[in-house]
Amino acid sequence: MSASASPTPSDLTRENEELRHRLQEAEDLIHAVRTGAVDALAIQSPDGPRIFTLQGADESYRTLIEQMSEGAMLLNQDGTILYCNACLASWLRRGLEEVIGQSFAVFIPRGFQVYWAALLAQGWAGHGKGEVPLQTKGGALRPLALSLQVLTFSEAPVVAVIATDLSAQREISNIQALVAEQNVVIDRKNEEIRFQESARMVVERAAAEANRMLEGIPQIAWTANPYGQTTYFNRRWFDFTGQPDQLLWKYRWEDYQHPEDAEQAGELWESCLRTGDAFEAEFRLRDRAENYRWMLSRAFPSRNEQGDIIQWIGTCTDIHEHKLDLERIDLAQQQLQLKNAQLTRVNIDLDNFIYTASHDLRAPITNIEGLLQALLTELPDGGADVQPIMNMMQDSVDRFKRTIDHLTTITKLQKENDQPTASVDLAYLIEEVRLDLQPQIQEANARVSVDVREFPMISFAEKNLRSIVYNLLSNAVKYRSPNRDLHIRIRCRPAGEYALLTVQDNGLGIPATSNEKLFGMFERLHDHVEGSGMGLYIVKKIVENAGGSIEVVSQLDVGSTFSVYLGR
């Protein structure tokens, strides 16, 4: 059995020197690559890393890469940095010898390791882009945008990475945003300045136009500042006072006020300056002839967009003649009130007289009627010979009693002017009146038609409304025509603000010339019928006291229509 010869000590020493020499060459080569003295590619193989020097690389290309303001590096398949430029090393705050040969993942925070692995895989797949932060030597983070691309050097694939510092871009973006914001503020300020300039021009034009308008009006016009100091008078002021306009500041309209009016007007003006309320006052101003004339002065505050008063604009209107007219009207009203008071006293005296007379006359009339009855019993044969005379005397007594009753009724109407109103069922009230007059209606063979469907309820004093219907219906029956059957139509319908009650008949009718006298007291147009001539007067009085009116349309031997307008 043979055995290989064992190496001698000298062999081992020589082999050790050879290995040491090869190791030194590798270390020198790696150092040269790290320091950038030579270009090289490090390729990982099963036998260990293989270093390929690129001493023949284009020097100008390498210089360009080194002087770029962006980071550049080459990575092998496990992410080891085969090359990086000085810019990338400076971002990491490390020397080139500290970066080349290291895994790029060493400089990526732990929270981004998975993302970096996926991004590197995209790069090896052909192309990848992403953003990752790098941790510098001091621990600070620097955001970078990475672009990965597969390249081939000496038949070995590598990933070329271009890195862009995002912190500067973000600062630039912030600066740009700040500049844009400032530009917006400046544009807004410029717009405000342009708007203010435009508004100033509009105000100036408006002020000029206002001055032209104020100069053209017939009234005295003036303006004052927010403190109440007069700043302008139009020409009418100087025409009225006779003062020159060269020294406007010397003349105030308050100086021309009547002494009796100045204090009150001044207090009101001061109050308006404090509150901002519109000013209105009447006072007397002295004109160029030293005469005082009444003026109506009004002033309104002019405000800006913030609601602050910037000036007052006022006028003084000559109301002297109007004031004198009011004084004359006031005097006339006082005289009228005096007359009314006198008439009221006269009416009261008349009412008292009528009431007293009707009361005092009842007893004598009753006594006369009793004496007539006693006389009949004393005469032979019951007074058969003088019965016609006795009847005539009794009729006279009855008429006198009815006149007294009517006078009493008129007095009551004056005193009962304010009777309370109520909602009255008109159809029911007309039916009650018809039943009261049923004997007369039957005697006249009259037909009464009622239609109040359009206005069945009326707000009126029921007693007075009954008197109206009773008088009109009884007159229609009383003054019927003997040549035809009597037909009476009663209707009620709305007429604007009134309820229109009409009573129409086909009776004797009234001559047109007698319409005005029809509603007078004691007026009787047909003497062949018994009556006192007070019924229509009472109806007219009731209607007018309630704010209504009554009209009549009549034709002789055709009939009459009475129209009563009653407030709703």
Side-chain angles (χ1 to χ4, degrees), residues 45 94 169 181 201 204 212 287 308 312 362 417 462 485 501 536:
S45 68
R94 298 173 185 271
Q169 290 186 358
E181 183 178 350
M201 295 177 63
E204 289 179 354
R212 286 194 294 271
D287 63 11
D308 300 324
W312 290 80
R362 285 184 185 277
N417 189 23
E462 183 175 1
D485 292 337
L501 175 66
L536 291 179

Side-chain angles (χ1 to χ4, degrees), residues 296-318:
L296 171 62
S297 182
R298 289 186 176 129
F300 295 90
S302 177
R303 302 178 184 271
N304 58 18
E305 294 180 352
Q306 290 74 35
D308 300 324
I309 296 176
I310 57 176
Q311 71 172 345
W312 290 80
I313 301 175
T315 60
C316 289
T317 304
D318 191 327

Side-chain angles (χ1 to χ4, degrees), residues 17-33 38 51 53 55:
E17 288 296 330
E18 290 178 355
L19 291 173
R20 186 186 301 277
H21 179 70
R22 291 171 58 188
L23 179 60
Q24 184 63 41
E25 287 180 348
E27 289 179 351
D28 292 342
L29 182 59
I30 292 172
H31 178 73
V33 171
V38 296
I51 306 300
T53 62
Q55 293 176 347

